[in-house]
Amino acid sequence: MRRLQRLILGVVLLLMAVAPLSAKGLHGLRVEQTNDWIYQDEAFFNVMLTAAENGASGTLLLKIYTDKGVELKSLVRSYAIRPGEPQQLRFVVENLAPGFYVAEIVDDGKPAKRFNFGVRPDDIVSPKDGASDLWAFWEQSLRELAAVKPEYKLTLSTKLSGSVRNVYVVEMKSWGGETIRGYWAVPKAVGKYPVVITFMGYAARTWAPSGNSGGDRCEFILSIRGQGLNTEYNTYGEWMCYGLDNKNDYYYRGAFMDTIRAIDFVFSQQATDARCVLLEGGSQGGALTLAAASLDGRVAGAAPYVPFLGDFRDYFDIVDWPGNKFFAEAKRLGISDEQMFHTLTYFDLKNLTERIECPVLMGFGLQDAVCPPHTNFASYNSIVAPKRWIVFANKGHNVGFERRWLDSREEFFQEIIKQRCGK
């Protein structure tokens, strides 16, 4: 039923893209952005209307849906506008529970505007569903990782190195004996430096750190197994679906352990100031950031944005991807959806993040249809350590290059570095 609802809403979105405004002379319709579309009490929307040269009249309908596509409320306002005299219509929506919602403005039966908004996101409750052996499973995984000799191999890249930092290609052994790779940038001036570890997005190309800047820190850019610098050695196919029928073999077991091996590596390096190891990444990289901070207490701070892998059951109800991949793989493997979801509980970050001890800064795009805000907050709201979030009200999954995010993350890191390292 929910998939049918999403299909219907998708058709509505398509119609919105091509539909004109009112046939009765409405020239413009604009919804003012209030409170970054995040509300603590009642939600309110101011709709500004302007008329064409002959004036305009009609009816606006505001529809409110849950983020799963269930219609909750509808409010109606009539308008009659003279030329040159804009009119504001105000809609007030009360008694919404904490969560994320969809607002749709319909003008005389024609969809005109659609956007997401949130109500008290810090109070959203995503019930944990971790199995009784959840932490025993991860403690065993960490023991197995510790038994693997890392065999660190660093190769200086003369192409990537510059006047400020040397850049090395790193190879090392991780959980299961898998070889993983990354880039390690170290200031040429001898000393102890804070370290920022970056985890990459799903199937993202691993970018190389600059050798001509960043002289105040070391950086390690990790490629987890089968991805990035390890793509040519990939044996996992569609990574997120690999081993879906068995928690012991599931892809993200090894991938999460790769993040811990990355932390092991930076702690092994003479240039590392062990008091200031910081993590960051977006999408899959945001998930890996949260996973690493959950499983390793050596971390001083974590800055995920639009994190993946949160609240799988609700995730698959809100958007089609990646749920369609998971359901198809479960069918191919001959396992039930319930068996699949049971495996995923071991990797669902809402079940892990309660153990994070370091400060966390999270960025999210309110209009994100890849990792919807609900899934971000499922993991975030389980964190009991100091935390705060930044919303990008008009952005989707692409907040990582927003100047406000980059500046906020840097300020967050600098606060930790000054507090812990005195620099």
Side-chain angles (χ1 to χ4, degrees):
M1 182 63 182
R2 287 171 175 169
R3 294 182 190 175
L4 177 60
Q5 289 168 337
R6 291 201 303 270
L7 178 61
I8 292 171
L9 287 174
V11 173
V12 170
L13 280 172
L14 179 62
L15 291 174
M16 284 172 52
V18 298
L21 291 173
S22 175
K24 296 186 178 180
L26 192 61
H27 176 68
L29 183 153
R30 177 175 59 86
V31 182
E32 291 185 342
Q33 183 178 305
T34 52
N35 295 54
D36 281 332
W37 285 332
I38 300 289
Y39 302 94
Q40 296 304 311
D41 295 304
E42 62 186 20
F44 60 92
F45 308 102
N46 298 325
V47 184
M48 307 300 297
L49 305 176
T50 56
E53 59 183 13
N54 295 322
S57 63
T59 300
L60 285 190
L61 176 65
L62 171 67
K63 292 185 177 183
I64 303 297
Y65 301 89
T66 69
D67 55 3
K68 295 181 181 180
V70 178
E71 185 174 345
L72 293 180
K73 299 174 182 283
S74 61
L75 301 174
V76 179
R77 298 286 185 274
S78 297
Y79 62 86
I81 315 172
R82 295 177 181 179
E85 297 182 8
Q87 182 177 346
Q88 175 181 290
L89 298 182
R90 185 179 179 88
F91 293 88
V92 178
V93 184
E94 300 177 319
N95 301 319
L96 290 175
F100 291 97
Y101 299 89
V102 179
E104 182 181 58
I105 305 290
V106 180
D107 173 39
D108 270 3
K110 301 179 180 63
K113 177 73 174 176
R114 197 167 191 270
F115 58 94
N116 297 338
F117 69 98
V119 176
R120 300 194 304 280
D122 299 272
D123 296 330
I124 296 171
V125 176
S126 299
K128 295 178 183 178
D129 55 8
S132 60
D133 65 340
L134 172 71
W135 290 110
F137 170 78
W138 285 113
E139 288 161 5
Q140 176 62 29
S141 300
L142 290 168
R143 286 193 294 270
E144 292 177 10
L145 174 68
V148 176
K149 293 183 178 180
E151 300 179 17
Y152 302 128
K153 178 183 177 183
L154 284 74
T155 303
L156 179 67
S157 172
T158 55
K159 180 180 179 180
L160 297 175
S161 298
S163 58
V164 176
R165 297 192 297 188
N166 287 323
V167 179
Y168 299 84
V169 177
V170 179
E171 295 185 9
M172 54 191 172
K173 297 291 185 181
S174 184
W175 181 84
E178 183 92 3
T179 299
I180 58 175
R181 297 162 180 84
Y183 291 121
W184 174 239
V186 189
K188 291 188 172 183
V190 175
K192 295 285 188 182
Y193 296 93
V195 178
V196 176
I197 302 175
T198 296
F199 301 119
M200 308 305 297
Y202 196 76
R205 181 179 63 86
T206 304
W207 55 269
S210 172
N212 294 314
S213 62
D216 61 340
R217 67 187 57 172
C218 301
E219 289 183 85
F220 186 52
I221 318 298
L222 176 70
S223 290
I224 58 174
R225 56 190 59 211
Q227 298 190 39
L229 298 177
N230 308 306
T231 301
E232 66 178 291
Y233 309 103
N234 178 34
T235 60
Y236 301 99
E238 184 74 61
W239 302 289
M240 62 185 173
C241 292
Y242 180 86
L244 195 54
D245 55 341
N246 187 331
K247 68 180 185 294
N248 295 311
D249 300 327
Y250 184 53
Y251 173 77
Y252 280 108
R253 186 186 191 193
F256 285 8
M257 290 300 96
D258 293 346
T259 70
I260 308 305
R261 179 89 329 155
I263 297 171
D264 291 339
F265 168 74
V266 302
F267 269 88
S268 75
Q269 299 302 297
Q270 290 186 348
T272 296
D273 188 329
R275 298 169 297 176
C276 293
V277 174
L278 307 162
L279 310 179
E280 71 94 22
S283 192
Q284 175 187 257
L288 297 173
T289 296
L290 291 172
S294 298
L295 296 170
D296 198 318
R298 293 174 289 179
V299 176
Y305 60 94
V306 295
F308 189 37
L309 304 181
D311 206 352
F312 287 100
R313 288 182 184 271
D314 280 357
Y315 191 177
F316 297 171
D317 270 346
I318 295 170
V319 289
D320 287 327
W321 186 95
N324 56 351
K325 296 282 189 179
F326 281 85
F327 289 121
E329 180 64 7
K331 183 177 180 180
R332 189 190 72 81
L333 291 171
I335 61 174
S336 68
D337 291 351
E338 283 304 311
Q339 288 173 294
M340 173 190 74
F341 280 122
H342 178 72
T343 295
L344 293 176
T345 62
Y346 291 86
F347 308 92
D348 193 326
L349 290 167
K350 72 178 182 182
N351 296 326
L352 300 181
T353 52
E354 66 182 4
R355 291 207 176 182
I356 291 178
E357 298 176 350
C358 66
V360 175
L361 173 68
M362 182 182 75
F364 71 100
L366 188 55
Q367 311 307 318
D368 193 344
V370 178
C371 296
H374 175 96
T375 68
N376 304 157
F377 275 85
S379 305
Y380 177 87
N381 284 350
S382 291
I383 298 170
V384 295
K387 60 183 178 179
R388 60 188 175 91
W389 50 259
I390 299 175
V391 60
F392 294 82
N394 297 308
K395 292 295 180 179
H397 200 58
N398 57 338
V399 305
F401 297 103
E402 289 293 308
R403 176 49 55 187
R404 184 162 66 94
W405 170 249
L406 296 173
D407 290 346
S408 298
R409 184 181 65 197
E410 181 61 24
E411 180 182 348
F412 171 68
F413 283 164
Q414 288 295 345
E415 289 173 358
I416 295 171
I417 291 169
K418 183 177 181 180
Q419 179 183 15
R420 296 187 60 135
C421 303
K423 296 182 180 180

